[in-house]
Amino acid sequence: MNRRIRTTLGVALAATLVTTAAPAPAAAAHDRRPTVIALPDGFQPEGVAAAGRYAWFGSRATGEIYRADLITGAGRQVSPATGTPSLGMKVDPRGRLFVAGGTAGDARVIDTRTGAVLAGYRFAEAPTFVNDVTLTRNAAWFTDSNRPVLYRLPLGRGGTLPPAGGFTTLPLTGDFQQSGTGVNLNGIVPTPDGRALIVVQSNTGRLFRVDPATGVTTAVDVPGTTFVNGDGLLLLGRTLYVVQNRLNQIAVVELNRAGTAGAPRGVVTDPGFDVPTTVAAALGRLYLPNARFSTPPTPNTPYTAVAVDAR
């Protein structure tokens, strides 16, 4: 697939341990899983979530949810257009898809099997941009790129969803400062120890650790490194993947357990990247939807998702 690892991440990483994305070994030569997943023309994908052999993609244009089979590449619509965006998404073990609603200032929870909307939540009125979501043991957390807050949906016993007004808004204090009118808060994940959250600020390229009880933020110390255009985040063990959309790359960081500091481990690129926005892991691979922000969208514009090896 002609993948490569570049060793620049804002500044030179000459002293950084870099793992080269080598061609597939001979033992994997018969792996027929597609490395490019075709999405519907005109779809304008942004969010992705994955579980088992399936990935779900959300349309920022219409809110439609599309499910793709990662083994065959086949797909179909599972939830129709809503007229509002479907951005960051996560799927839980109960087969529920949590979806961030962008400019609608809301979130909804969808049954992945039937496409039925199980619950909806209106967090804020304009100006708002509910951008991404992560799941913890007892809550779903959403970022707002236009406001220095997180929205928390508490999950009850057995994962019970709260009523429509049963969310809380957590103002952020400390090191994080809202900057200008561009995209601020974006991707979000738990820390490796599960005690806090990590968010990326797209327009400054900084990572912050958030205390979920108080909203106090502290900058994550990743020496000599910034993550400008940081978008979706993915945590696998202690490895944090930061999608840098317009840079067409994934920055790789090894975090400590508390998520207070990390060491850069290089960047992953691929010739198939065309402004990828976020990332999900499945079947030993990373899957990224190409948002193609630099390509004027039309009803006939083709869109894809690209698979790269998880490293």
Side-chain angles (χ1 to χ4, degrees), residues 88-281:
M89 307 192 305
K90 291 293 184 295
V91 62
D92 74 1
R94 297 174 175 85
R96 301 180 302 187
L97 189 68
F98 293 72
V99 183
T103 51
D106 68 358
R108 65 191 190 281
V109 184
I110 295 170
D111 186 318
T112 58
R113 291 170 288 270
T114 67
V117 177
L118 302 175
Y121 305 91
R122 175 59 61 87
F123 297 137
E125 303 295 333
T128 179
F129 196 79
V130 180
N131 203 335
D132 208 351
V133 57
T134 195
L135 301 177
T136 62
R137 182 177 58 83
N138 56 11
W141 292 88
F142 294 80
T143 59
D144 191 325
S145 296
N146 285 354
R147 302 182 180 206
V149 301
L150 299 180
Y151 305 112
R152 179 180 184 270
L153 286 184
L155 302 177
R157 187 172 182 177
T160 304
L161 297 170
F167 63 88
T168 56
T169 300
L170 181 69
L172 301 187
T173 62
D175 289 348
F176 176 83
Q177 298 292 317
Q178 194 81 355
S179 177
T181 58
V183 177
N184 279 262
L185 288 175
N186 203 328
I188 181 171
V189 292
T191 54
D193 64 9
R195 296 183 178 181
L197 301 163
I198 291 177
V199 295
V200 64
Q201 187 175 23
S202 295
N203 52 2
T204 66
R206 302 181 72 191
L207 295 173
F208 296 90
R209 183 183 187 273
V210 182
D211 184 326
T214 65
V216 173
T217 64
T218 53
V220 179
D221 182 20
V222 185
T225 305
T226 60
F227 305 92
V228 175
N229 298 130
D231 202 327
L233 302 181
L234 173 66
L235 184 72
L236 297 179
R238 287 171 47 185
T239 302
L240 178 68
Y241 298 91
V242 184
V243 180
Q244 293 178 276
N245 52 36
R246 294 185 183 273
L247 301 186
N248 287 312
Q249 65 185 32
I250 312 168
V252 185
V253 179
E254 191 73 12
L255 294 172
N256 62 12
R257 282 186 51 78
T260 58
R265 293 291 183 250
V267 298
V268 179
T269 67
D270 188 273
F273 287 171
D274 192 350
V275 195
T277 44
T278 190
V279 57

